[in-house]
Amino acid sequence: MRRTTIALVLAATVGVGACGTSESGSEDSANTAGTPPAIPTGSYEGADDVVSSIEDTSRIVSLNGDLTETIFALGAGDRVVGIDLTTTYPAEAASLPDVGLGRNLNAEAVIGLSPTLVLGDTQVEPITAIEQIRAAGIPVVILQAEVTLEGVIRKIGNVGEILDLPAEASVLAERVQGEIDDAVALAATTTSEPRAAYLYVRGPETLLLFGNGMPTHFLIEAASAIDAAGDIGVLFAENLSAERLVTAAPEILITPEEGYEIIGGIDAFLALPGVSDTPAGGDRAVLTYDEALLLGMGPRVGEALRQLVIDLHPEIDG
């Protein structure tokens, strides 16, 4: 498998990793009441071509919010002892000790939690920090960052394999696939095909137009709409350009609710470069969603897609 980079600018995913043994250490955080029993598994070849020997998955540090959600959805949330800042769901996970941002990995913070397994994806960097954790005897498994609906199902299976929970992964994958299928079937009943664009906002200095290759592209298309930015050739993410946005001519703009609130709501959003000159801006047609829900491509993806279908197509009685 190859390490690939996708332009998710958020918060904006050599050698064999030996297994570490969990230590009870008095400075250990939260999720420990004595040393938990080892939960054995096996070995796994990650997307970075490193084969990790995994002897114990009882203490996991998760470096991506979608992976954290997946672990909890598999019923293994009690094994998670640390998260990165992209974890906002579920609530019990968000309250765990954080190690900073996985895309700017702090090896010392991870090692300090005495994990027996670190799980991340190809957006995690720098590689030197990953290697530092592995050199401390802690296996680090790197999964491919998934941006498609099919990839979500693959991700569930991979995490289930790593945690030795194949039956649980099969049940979860079946449920999530069913929710996706239901949302796609609902989209097939629509009569409109709006042009929608995802504008990533995290404050006045972080304004990005998402296009083809991003999770939003596949969600918009699955929702029987046109990804307006992808339609004009935006690949991954571009810094917002008024000219490009106006050329894309979205009839609906989608943005993360967190960033929308940071900049001050609808009036501030309409004042962003090019927004007021689009059909969406003229109609004040702006949809906001929880960032982790729409961008995470985790176990809630079917829920996110269904809501997107309903919101993009007013002819549907949701």
Side-chain angles (χ1 to χ4, degrees):
M1 287 181 274
R2 290 286 177 265
R3 180 184 180 90
T4 63
T5 301
I6 63 173
L8 275 178
V9 192
L10 304 181
T13 125
V14 210
V16 177
C19 167
T21 303
S22 174
E23 299 178 4
S24 56
S26 60
E27 70 277 2
D28 251 1
S29 72
N31 221 8
T32 313
T35 304
I39 301 173
T41 169
S43 62
Y44 189 88
E45 181 178 1
D48 56 355
D49 298 324
V50 173
V51 177
S52 296
S53 176
I54 306 169
E55 297 181 7
D56 181 3
T57 64
S58 65
R59 294 182 59 81
I60 303 168
V61 170
S62 172
L63 300 179
N64 301 84
D66 57 311
L67 296 178
T68 307
E69 285 196 37
T70 303
I71 295 168
F72 273 78
L74 288 170
D78 59 344
R79 305 187 198 180
V80 180
V81 297
I83 56 171
D84 97 316
L85 289 174
T86 62
T87 293
T88 59
Y89 183 90
E92 57 268 37
S95 65
L96 289 169
D98 76 74
V99 296
L101 192 63
R103 295 176 184 87
N104 187 23
L105 186 58
N106 181 332
E108 290 81 6
V110 173
I111 294 169
L113 292 175
S114 301
T116 59
L117 172 66
V118 176
L119 193 60
D121 71 16
T122 49
Q123 298 172 88
V124 172
E125 55 185 21
I127 294 175
T128 52
I130 296 173
E131 291 173 343
Q132 184 179 345
I133 297 169
R134 285 173 171 154
I138 301 165
V140 181
V141 175
I142 298 297
L143 297 177
Q144 182 62 50
E146 301 287 2
V147 298
T148 66
L149 295 170
E150 297 81 2
V152 175
I153 304 304
R154 184 164 50 243
K155 180 191 308 179
I156 291 169
N158 288 339
V159 175
E161 179 182 349
I162 293 164
L163 301 187
D164 196 23
L165 296 172
E168 291 84 348
S170 178
V171 170
L172 178 60
E174 184 176 0
R175 174 176 68 77
V176 173
Q177 186 64 63
E179 292 170 350
I180 292 170
D181 292 344
D182 288 346
V184 170
L186 180 63
T189 69
T190 62
T191 56
S192 59
E193 192 179 31
R195 293 179 63 83
Y198 191 90
L199 180 52
Y200 184 80
V201 177
R202 259 296 177 182
E205 304 303 317
T206 306
L207 305 172
L208 300 166
L209 184 60
F210 282 11
N212 202 350
M214 300 299 278
T216 48
H217 171 80
F218 299 101
L219 287 169
I220 289 169
E221 289 202 329
S224 290
I226 297 169
D227 175 12
D231 192 46
I232 65 163
V234 173
L235 183 62
F236 297 122
E238 294 183 358
N239 289 324
L240 177 61
S241 150
E243 181 181 2
R244 289 283 268 173
L245 185 60
V246 171
T247 300
E251 299 166 289
I252 300 171
L253 281 165
I254 308 168
T255 197
E257 62 186 11
E258 297 88 344
Y260 182 80
E261 293 170 0
I262 287 171
I263 64 170
I266 186 63
D267 291 334
F269 188 82
L270 293 175
L272 296 176
V275 170
S276 63
D277 295 322
T278 65
D283 291 338
R284 301 169 73 91
V286 180
L287 300 175
T288 65
Y289 298 96
D290 173 74
E291 184 175 315
L293 176 64
L294 203 65
L295 296 182
M297 302 303 275
R300 295 182 293 158
V301 69
E303 172 190 340
L305 179 57
R306 177 180 176 82
Q307 191 60 54
L308 187 62
V309 171
I310 291 169
D311 292 343
L312 288 175
H313 301 280
E315 70 271 22
I316 292 178
D317 181 4

